[in-house]
């Protein structure tokens, strides 16, 4: 069932019910605070098991209780999403949704409680304010009046939660979206305040390359998701997650050097997930991005860097970002991401099988870049 432009009364009743459903009259299991870029988020969890995931995935951006915060995430473990959808049918007895439900009952028809969504194009384009997918056991929502975000799943085991992707990534995408800011799917490493934004789709080597650079002493922002902000004419990148993802083959190559804690096998057997909190001293926030680089896995004898390839790098950065956040129909976000990097120089790095040689190639390039 989909509701378009619900009344203010209907929305108020739905959000009030979600708050009650999340807490069920209990105090939060824990309250945490996250600092991402210039934004502070209060995280209110009614499921104690979330604490393990929050610490493992978001350890770097956790902070002590601040004096103020910009938004609230309410998270809980939901046991019965179909029952939750049914309750939302009944929450506002003056609504069109409730009227249709009662008519269907009189006719002997069965209501579909597998899906529920609310859309209002005047508030947010192309994405629901609230979406519940009962077969997928997930709820994602946002109350724009209070800037409160809602997230619920049924299974909090590491493999199941990692299978859904990075923790809260779609909520972060909405929370961090601003006129000059956006979540992006990419990697950033650098030297001497010269950040390199590694552009590419998944399985193009971003994690392998950025983690290898981290181990070689580079400044590190992210191997996967990050915040991009345009400030004072400079594009800056900030980290969100303290986890990395590596294929089993790359993990075998790096395991002797990488001091990381195993989190999950990603439930697909093709990627391992690790916490790299022991390297937080190499993490940097608001790191200036000076150039973009497209990764080309060519298995050449020796790595090399070539100028150009702007169209390829820009397209893959933008396409990958909006695909990961579900914003493929949001033209303004597509334009904004493209505008962030459009004026930067673009390069292509041709990668060999020798991980160390690849990183040394980038190091030599950056050491001479500003000379």
């Amino acid at each position: 069932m989909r509701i378009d432009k619900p009344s203010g009364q209907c929305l108020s009743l739905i959000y009030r019910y979600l708050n009650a459903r999340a807490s069920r009259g209990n105090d939060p299991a824990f309250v945490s605070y996250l600092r991402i870029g210039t934004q502070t988020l209060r995280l209110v969890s009614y499921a104690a098991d979330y604490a393990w995931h929050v610490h493992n995935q978001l350890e770097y951006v956790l902070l002590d209780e601040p004096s103020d915060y910009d938004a609230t995430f309410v998270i809980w473990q939901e046991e019965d999403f179909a029952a939750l959808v049914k309750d939302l049918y009944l929450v506002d007895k003056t609504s069109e949704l409730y009227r249709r439900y009662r008519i269907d009952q009189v006719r002997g028809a069965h209501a579909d409680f597998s899906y529920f969504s609310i859309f209002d194009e005047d508030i947010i384009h192309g994405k629901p304010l609230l979406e519940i997918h009962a077969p997928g056991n997930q709820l994602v929502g946002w109350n724009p009046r209070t800037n409160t975000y809602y997230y619920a799943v049924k299974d909090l085991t590491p493999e199941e939660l990692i299978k859904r992707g990075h923790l809260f990534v779609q909520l972060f995408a909405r929370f961090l979206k601003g006129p000059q800011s956006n979540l992006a799917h990419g990697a950033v490493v650098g030297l001497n305040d010269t950040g390199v934004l590694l552009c590419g789709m998944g399985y193009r080597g971003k994690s392998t390359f950025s983690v290898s650079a981290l181990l070689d002493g580079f400044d590190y922002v992210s191997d996967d998701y990050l915040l991009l902000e345009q400030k004072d004419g400079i594009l800056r990148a900030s980290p969100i997650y303290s986890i990395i993802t590596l294929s089993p083959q790359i993990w075998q190559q790096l395991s002797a050097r990488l001091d990381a804690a195993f989190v999950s096998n990603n439930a697909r057997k093709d990627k391992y997930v690790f916490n790299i909190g022991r390297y937080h001293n190499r993490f940097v926030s608001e790191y200036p991005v000076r150039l973009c680089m497209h990764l080309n896995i060519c298995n050449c004898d020796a790595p090399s860097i070539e100028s150009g390839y702007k169209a390829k790098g820009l397209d893959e950065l933008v396409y990958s970002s909006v695909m990961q956040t579900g914003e493929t129909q949001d033209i303004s976000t597509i334009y904004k991401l493209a505008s962030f990097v459009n004026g930067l120089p673009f390069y292509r790095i041709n990668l060999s099988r020798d991980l160390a040689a690849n990183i040394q190639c980038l190091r030599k390039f950056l050491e001479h870049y500003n000379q």
Side-chain angles (χ1 to χ4, degrees):
M1 174 61 68
R2 169 172 170 157
I3 304 176
D4 285 290
K5 290 191 175 182
S7 67
Q9 172 183 297
C10 181
L11 278 178
S12 294
L13 290 171
I14 285 173
Y15 292 130
R16 186 186 306 169
Y17 176 80
L18 289 181
N19 287 324
R21 181 81 174 198
S23 68
R24 293 177 175 84
N26 299 316
D27 292 330
F30 68 90
V31 177
S32 298
Y33 295 86
L34 310 175
R35 182 74 171 178
I36 305 174
T38 58
Q39 299 288 302
T40 301
L41 171 68
R42 182 175 68 129
L43 191 66
V44 179
S45 176
Y46 291 96
D49 287 348
Y50 262 119
W52 188 88
H53 298 286
V54 169
H55 183 269
N56 271 283
Q57 293 205 31
L58 300 166
E59 182 181 359
Y60 179 74
V61 294
L62 286 173
L63 74 164
D64 296 331
E65 185 172 343
S67 58
D68 198 8
Y69 51 88
D70 301 291
T72 297
F73 277 20
V74 176
I75 57 178
W76 72 98
Q77 185 174 14
E78 177 59 53
E79 296 297 332
D80 192 340
F81 283 88
L84 172 58
V85 171
K86 182 178 180 180
D87 288 345
L88 292 178
Y89 272 67
L90 310 178
V91 72
D92 181 9
K93 292 182 171 53
T94 67
S95 69
E96 173 68 13
L97 178 64
Y98 179 77
R99 184 185 69 81
R100 280 182 282 171
Y101 169 73
R102 297 295 297 181
I103 290 175
D104 284 344
Q105 277 195 318
V106 171
R107 291 173 175 169
H110 296 287
D112 181 8
F113 298 132
S114 64
Y115 181 77
F116 182 88
S117 65
I118 298 174
F119 283 81
D120 192 330
E121 292 290 323
D122 292 338
I123 298 174
I124 184 170
H125 173 70
K127 298 197 73 174
L129 289 174
L130 175 67
E131 185 172 39
I132 304 172
H133 187 249
N137 294 312
Q138 179 170 284
L139 175 150
V140 178
W142 175 45
N143 181 351
R145 294 182 178 179
T146 62
N147 209 18
T148 301
Y149 299 77
Y150 298 91
Y151 186 81
V153 295
K154 184 174 183 177
D155 192 340
L156 286 172
T157 57
E159 285 70 29
E160 181 62 29
L161 208 60
I162 286 290
K163 186 168 64 176
R164 297 178 182 274
H166 285 58
L167 192 64
F168 310 141
V169 66
Q170 291 199 351
L171 289 184
F172 283 145
R174 187 174 295 179
F175 168 64
L176 297 171
K177 182 190 294 289
Q180 298 297 321
S181 63
N182 216 84
L183 183 137
H185 184 229
V188 169
V189 295
L191 287 174
N192 304 320
D193 285 335
T194 301
V196 180
L197 176 56
L198 304 174
C199 308
M201 304 292 292
Y203 297 89
R204 294 292 175 86
K206 296 190 303 295
S207 292
T208 299
F209 192 84
S210 54
V211 173
S212 298
L214 168 67
L215 294 176
D216 200 52
F218 280 67
D219 298 326
Y220 176 88
V221 176
S222 174
D223 80 313
D224 210 351
Y225 292 99
L226 51 91
L227 169 65
L228 289 179
E229 294 180 284
Q230 191 78 45
K231 299 176 66 174
D232 302 321
I234 298 174
L235 183 63
R236 300 182 183 275
S238 293
I240 301 173
Y241 294 98
S242 293
I243 57 171
I244 58 171
T245 58
L246 297 173
S247 70
Q249 295 81 7
I250 297 300
W251 161 241
Q252 288 177 356
Q253 293 184 53
L254 297 179
S255 59
R257 301 174 57 209
L258 181 61
D259 186 10
F262 179 79
V263 174
S264 168
N265 68 355
N266 212 19
R268 296 178 302 171
K269 305 299 188 296
D270 63 346
K271 287 287 184 73
Y272 292 162
V273 181
F274 300 91
N275 171 277
I276 55 169
R278 297 183 180 99
Y279 296 94
H280 281 165
N281 63 316
R282 303 299 309 174
F283 280 45
V284 285
S285 295
E286 298 192 52
Y287 198 63
V289 176
R290 309 292 188 188
L291 64 144
C292 298
M293 196 165 284
H294 181 256
L295 302 179
N296 178 38
I297 302 174
C298 61
N299 295 323
C300 44
D301 292 334
S304 61
I305 295 177
E306 308 169 80
S307 63
Y309 302 95
K310 178 178 179 177
K312 182 72 171 177
L314 191 152
D315 286 351
E316 290 207 6
L317 172 70
V318 173
Y319 178 75
S320 182
S321 295
V322 297
M323 282 293 293
Q324 295 293 331
T325 58
E327 297 175 302
T328 55
Q329 303 302 312
D330 190 341
I331 301 301
S332 63
T333 295
I334 293 172
Y335 176 81
K336 178 174 57 178
L337 285 167
S339 70
F340 281 172
V341 300
N342 191 52
L344 296 176
F346 276 76
Y347 297 86
R348 184 175 80 173
I349 181 167
N350 302 306
L351 301 174
S352 70
R353 291 183 178 273
D354 188 335
L355 300 184
N358 295 334
I359 301 306
Q360 286 305 307
C361 179
L362 180 62
R363 178 180 288 278
K364 290 179 181 178
F365 177 82
L366 292 180
E367 287 174 345
H368 296 90
Y369 185 74
N370 291 318
Q371 294 182 2

